[in-house]
Every structure is written in structure tokens, then in C-alpha cells.
């Protein structure tokens, strides 16, 4: 009887441990899918942004989608062939290839009003936009392919997403590059700030991950759940846009454009 009691206690302990782990990443976030709302079928979304008039724009290989508070409009692309990998939007965007290392340039992110951070295969440089002069700030010894960047100006940390090696963060003051622990080794499509203390990271095949910038921990994981009609549509996340009205837009490959509303971080600490 004692042995059976111990087995039962062990099973209950494992069960409650599972529940506690599940609750860490549980949230009441409700996604609303644009395809479902308007009865359209636009998938393979690659990017989303907002213009000065408040319109939300999203791109796919089949056209450009414009969203207002109560309506939508689709603009067809004037291409001659359908052999397109993806279509990216840039509102008040910037150039993507710089100077002598033009072929080697991987990613670019704003640093301050006059400088950009530019990543190459072997280094990270600071580019003066007025003189186009570059100054190396960190030599990259790793041979990973950089797929996305985000610079946290307040913390002076450069977040680096890769195609196959996970997520890294570079402390610009200490000049130290460290990996984010236990992060998926799948293409990171976007890294964006969602609050003063949190980031949202979109991963191709793993949905949206909310991170604590200071503690370097995972706060929440948002993925598709076929049993939940209000979950994210598609886990292949290519872009995320936080529009300043507590609304977050997510572009996925299979589900198209979705959004959810929130107040501050997804989990109350």
C-alpha cells in the first residue's frame, strides 16, 4: 500500500509540474485573422507596416493588402512572372547594400540619427550615413547566417537572429556576444520591441516568442492551435508590427495577416 501511495504521489507531482510549466506560457491572447474577417485568401505574407495615415499594409506574392478600421483593399503587383520568392514592404525605408562590402552585407538596423549598424559575414560595423564611412565594432568569429537584427538603444544591446543557429545578443559596452539559451535553431524572421522590457521574436516554424530583454528569459510562446480558433494562424512568422495602439500585427506564410490586442507584457509578473 505504501508503494502504491508513493507511485500515486509521484504521478501527481509530475502532473502538477506539467501544469506549472504549461501555465508559464499560457495566455489569453486572441488572434483575429484578416482572411477570416473579410472572406479573402491572401497567404505567404512577408511583411507588414503602417503609414502616416494609419493604414496597415501587408505584402504577399499575390499582391499588397491595405487594411483600415472597417475595410480592406488589394493591389495587384505589376510583375511579368510569378517566379517570386517574397515581397517586402518598406515605409520610409533604407538602402540595403553599403560601400565596398556591398556583396557581403547581411543585415542593417538603425543605431542613432546619423549611424547604422551593418552586419557582414565577418564583422559588425558602424556606418556614418553622412560620409558612408564604416568602423568595425565587433569581429564575428562564428560562421552563422544573420537573418534579422534589433538594436536596443536603452540597453545598448544588439539582438541577432540567425537562419540556423538561434538567437544571440551582443553587449556593445562589454563587446561580448552570447547565445540565448534553449532557443529554436530555425530561421528568425523578425525581432521587434513590444515594450520597454520585452521583445517579440518571429520564427519560421515556431510562431511568436515573447522575451524579457533584461533577464534574457522566455515569457510567452504564441503558436497555432488547431483546436483554438483564436490562436495564431500559421507558425511560419515572417514579420511582426506593433502599431502603437496596443495592437500587434503578425504576418505568417500559411495563415496570412493576423492581429491581437494587449496591455503591456502578455504575462503579469
Amino acid at each position: 500500500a505504501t508503494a502504491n501511495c508513493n507511485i500515486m504521489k509521484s504521478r501527481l507531482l509530475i502532473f502538477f509540474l506539467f501544469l506549472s510549466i504549461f501555465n508559464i506560457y499560457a495566455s489569453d491572447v486572441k488572434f483575429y485573422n484578416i482572411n477570416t474577417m473579410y472572406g479573402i485568401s491572401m497567404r505567404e505574407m512577408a511583411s507588414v507596416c503602417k503609414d502616416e495615415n494609419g493604414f496597415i499594409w501587408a505584402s504577399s506574392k499575390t499582391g499588397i493588402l491595405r487594411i483600415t478600421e472597417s475595410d480592406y483593399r488589394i493591389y495587384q503587383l505589376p510583375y511579368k512572372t510569378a517566379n517570386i520568392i517574397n515581397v517586402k514592404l518598406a515605409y520610409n525605408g533604407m538602402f540595403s547594400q553599403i560601400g565596398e562590402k556591398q556583396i557581403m552585407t547581411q543585415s542593417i538596423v538603425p543605431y542613432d540619427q546619423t549611424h547604422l549598424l551593418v552586419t557582414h559575414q565577418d564583422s559588425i560595423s558602424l556606418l556614418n550615413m553622412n560620409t558612408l564611412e564604416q568602423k568595425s565594432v565587433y569581429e564575428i568569429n562564428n560562421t552563422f547566417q544573420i537573418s534579422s537584427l534589433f538594436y536596443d538603444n536603452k540597453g545598448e544591446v544588439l539582438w541577432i537572429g540567425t537562419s540556423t543557429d538561434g538567437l544571440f545578443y551582443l553587449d556593445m559596452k562589454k563587446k561580448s556576444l552570447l547565445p540565448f539559451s534553449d532557443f529554436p535553431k530555425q530561421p528568425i524572421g523578425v525581432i521587434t520591441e513590444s515594450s520597454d522590457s520585452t521583445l517579440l521574436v518571429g520564427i519560421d516554424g515556431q510562431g511568436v516568442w515573447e522575451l524579457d530583454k533584461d533577464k534574457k528569459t522566455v515569457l510567452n510562446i504564441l503558436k497555432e492551435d488547431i483546436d483554438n480558433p483564436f490562436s495564431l494562424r500559421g507558425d511560419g512568422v515572417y514579420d511582426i508590427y506593433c502599431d502603437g495602439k496596443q495592437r500587434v500585427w503578425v504576418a505568417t506564410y500559411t495563415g496570412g495577416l493576423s492581429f491581437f490586442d494587449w496591455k503591456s507584457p502578455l504575462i503579469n509578473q
Side-chain angles (χ1 to χ4, degrees):
T2 302
N4 290 335
C5 183
N6 289 334
I7 293 173
M8 182 63 69
K9 288 181 179 179
S10 298
R11 289 177 176 174
L12 285 174
L13 179 61
I14 293 172
F15 175 74
F16 284 114
L17 180 61
F18 172 79
L19 284 182
S20 63
I21 293 174
F22 177 78
N23 286 332
I24 290 175
Y25 298 131
S27 70
D28 57 355
V29 170
K30 288 186 176 181
F31 279 92
Y32 299 91
N33 183 260
I34 295 300
N35 284 336
T36 301
M37 290 175 63
Y38 292 113
I40 59 179
S41 180
M42 291 196 70
R43 308 185 189 281
E44 302 183 19
M45 289 289 185
S47 63
V48 56
C49 62
K50 184 179 182 179
D51 67 19
E52 60 185 5
N53 295 315
F55 295 143
I56 295 294
W57 298 81
S59 64
S60 77
K61 292 196 295 185
T62 58
I64 306 298
L65 176 65
R66 189 190 74 179
I67 301 293
T68 65
E69 287 293 334
S70 59
D71 201 3
Y72 76 95
R73 183 170 180 178
I74 298 174
Y75 298 86
Q76 301 298 324
L77 294 174
Y79 54 75
K80 296 181 180 180
T81 174
N83 187 22
I84 295 175
I85 298 175
N86 57 49
V87 178
K88 285 281 189 178
L89 292 175
Y91 182 71
N92 289 336
M94 65 181 72
F95 44 88
S96 61
Q97 294 182 334
I98 313 294
E100 296 178 356
K101 289 194 174 183
Q102 186 172 10
I103 298 177
M104 307 281 283
T105 300
Q106 292 186 345
S107 296
I108 299 171
V109 69
Y111 178 75
D112 57 26
Q113 291 184 346
T114 57
H115 293 85
L116 301 173
L117 282 167
V118 183
T119 61
H120 310 291
Q121 291 179 347
D122 58 355
S123 66
I124 298 174
S125 300
L126 199 60
L127 171 74
N128 187 311
M129 290 187 289
N130 295 323
T131 65
L132 295 184
E133 294 181 356
Q134 293 190 62
K135 177 183 177 182
S136 178
V137 295
Y138 188 82
E139 298 296 324
I140 300 177
N141 296 321
N142 308 66
T143 57
F144 45 65
Q145 177 69 36
I146 296 174
S147 57
S148 56
L149 293 174
F150 174 78
Y151 181 62
D152 176 14
N153 189 275
K154 182 180 178 181
E156 296 185 55
V157 174
L158 178 64
W159 291 82
I160 302 172
T162 70
S163 296
T164 58
D165 296 284
L167 180 67
F168 294 80
Y169 53 95
L170 172 64
D171 189 315
M172 298 291 286
K173 292 180 291 185
K174 297 179 181 178
K175 296 294 188 290
S176 63
L177 181 67
L178 295 172
F180 193 97
S181 300
D182 301 320
F183 209 78
K185 301 293 192 294
Q186 291 171 247
I188 298 174
V190 58
I191 307 169
T192 189
E193 189 175 57
S194 50
S195 74
D196 290 339
S197 60
T198 59
L199 295 175
L200 291 179
V201 181
I203 310 170
D204 190 0
Q206 291 292 336
V208 178
W209 290 49
E210 186 193 23
L211 310 181
D212 186 303
K213 290 193 297 184
D214 299 324
K215 297 178 181 178
K216 309 298 188 294
T217 56
V218 178
L219 296 177
N220 200 13
I221 299 174
L222 303 175
K223 300 179 70 175
E224 183 173 26
D225 180 357
I226 59 174
D227 296 322
N228 180 6
F230 291 104
S231 69
L232 177 65
R233 297 291 181 88
D235 289 331
V237 178
Y238 280 22
D239 201 9
I240 301 172
Y241 178 74
C242 303
D243 73 0
K245 293 184 177 180
Q246 306 302 323
R247 178 163 292 183
V248 178
W249 297 85
V250 181
T252 70
Y253 188 81
T254 57
L257 185 65
S258 300
F259 70 86
F260 68 88
D261 296 310
W262 66 355
K263 296 179 181 178
S264 191
L266 300 181
I267 291 182
N268 295 321
Q269 298 298 320

